[in-house]
Amino acid sequence: MSHAEHAHGHGDHKGHAHAGHSHGPVDDEGRVAWAFAIILVFMFVEAAGGLISNSLALLADAGHMVSDAAAFGMSWLALRVGKRARDVKRSYGYKRLEVLAAFVNGCMLFVIAGWIAFEAARRFMAPSPVLGGTMFWVALAGLVANLVAFFILNGGNRQNLNIRSAWLHILGDVFGFIVAIVAALIIMSTGWAPVDPLLSVLVALLILRSAWQVVRASSHILLEGSPPGVDLDALKRDLTTAAPGIVDIHHVHAWSLTGEEPLVTLHARCASGADHGVIVPAINKRLREQFGIGHSTIQLEGDDCFDESHG
């Protein structure tokens, strides 16, 4: 018969989750709100400028900014709702909503990039004149507006996946406006209109890169993947030395609630006569200091593992 004992190590979880950052969730929420306001206002300006100048580069980036506005709205809502206390239906609270919002934002970027590529191909087959001067001034104003939003978000906590996805949206816009300015200058000096859809494809590729980063990171969390940098085999070997009497560590499961909050559950087989009261705090301390995991659930066992013996 197995000897089992459950212990929870919540320790300094709250403090650890934000260790090394001076930016709390309220601060991040405010940064996203300001960036959202800037993006929303300029989105209409850019769409109007794109229609007047007949510039695909501007229209493409205006489409990107539509997704940005929706993404920032979701990001703000996720940060807002994520502060709600946990309840009987959601024992971890609503923080995972941040990751879900980041995943949706990343998927939206894929759609926008596809639309830009399709429209660029259409423009190549049927070129149309572009007003380079109008395009230039609208793109320059957009670059300034997005740089302001970029620096607002740049001070936020980018370990928060939601903030990082919003930051990548803005970074994509900054590159998009730089490309539009270059295209406008070429059109003004040479009159070669095909440069507009050509450089729009570059914007699409930049958007795809950002989208892949966000979708990959958020889907890994949603699929309960191991936190980045946590090697489960190394963790098992290391924890056997955390305190005298630990024979082995097994049934280890590590995942993340958000990009900043890793969690772990594990079984620790102990030698006969081992002091269980010492082992649990020692494992918790080791998890925090060596692996940055502040929330753990530990099951202590004697000779047999209940799960293995009675599966």
Side-chain angles (χ1 to χ4, degrees), residues 103-271:
F103 178 78
V104 174
N105 289 346
C107 291
M108 288 173 62
L109 287 172
F110 275 108
V111 174
I112 294 297
W115 176 81
I116 294 172
F118 173 80
E119 187 64 17
R122 192 180 68 82
R123 291 281 184 112
F124 272 122
M125 290 185 289
S128 55
V130 177
L131 299 178
T134 303
M135 178 182 175
F136 173 80
W137 289 111
V138 173
L140 185 62
L143 178 62
V144 172
N146 275 266
L147 283 174
V148 172
F150 176 81
F151 284 115
I152 288 173
L153 284 178
N154 198 46
N157 175 17
R158 286 204 303 278
Q159 278 196 313
N160 182 304
L161 191 58
N162 202 26
I163 294 295
R164 196 172 81 190
S165 70
W167 183 82
L168 285 171
H169 270 271
I170 291 291
L171 189 61
D173 279 336
V174 168
F175 281 119
F177 280 117
I178 291 173
V179 166
I181 288 171
V182 171
L185 290 173
I186 292 174
I187 291 170
M188 290 166 66
S189 60
T190 68
W192 190 53
V195 71
D196 181 50
L198 182 65
L199 291 181
S200 296
V201 173
L202 176 60
V203 175
L205 292 175
L206 292 171
I207 292 172
L208 280 175
R209 182 176 180 274
S210 298
W212 172 244
Q213 289 177 345
V214 173
V215 169
R216 182 179 62 179
S218 56
S219 60
H220 183 75
I221 292 175
L222 292 173
L223 290 172
E224 309 290 359
S226 298
V230 176
D231 182 332
L232 296 187
D233 289 331
L235 183 145
K236 284 191 259 187
R237 290 193 299 270
D238 186 85
L239 291 183
T240 57
T241 65
I246 300 177
V247 177
D248 78 343
I249 301 293
H250 56 280
H251 285 326
V252 179
H253 298 280
W255 70 103
S256 300
L257 181 61
T258 67
E260 306 161 82
E261 299 183 50
L263 305 92
V264 68
T265 63
L266 60 88
H267 291 195
R269 183 178 285 115
C270 307

Side-chain angles (χ1 to χ4, degrees), residues 32-56:
V32 171
W34 275 107
F36 171 72
I38 294 170
I39 294 302
L40 189 64
V41 169
F42 198 80
M43 177 184 74
F44 293 104
V45 174
E46 186 179 22
L51 290 171
I52 293 169
S53 65
N54 195 34
S55 167
L56 176 60

Side-chain angles (χ1 to χ4, degrees), residues 12-18 24-26 74-75 77-87 90-103 157 159-163 218 221-222 256-263 295:
D12 302 325
H13 169 57
K14 195 167 184 179
H16 170 76
H18 298 284
V26 174
M74 285 191 296
S75 294
L77 184 64
L79 290 169
R80 187 78 171 178
V81 175
K83 294 189 294 183
R84 290 183 182 177
R86 63 186 183 181
D87 53 40
R90 296 170 183 83
S91 61
Y92 283 116
Y94 294 79
K95 289 187 176 182
R96 181 60 72 85
L97 187 60
E98 297 177 11
V99 182
L100 183 59
F103 178 78
N157 175 17
Q159 278 196 313
N160 182 304
L161 191 58
N162 202 26
I163 294 295
S218 56
I221 292 175
L222 292 173
S256 300
L257 181 61
T258 67
E260 306 161 82
E261 299 183 50
L263 305 92
H295 187 293

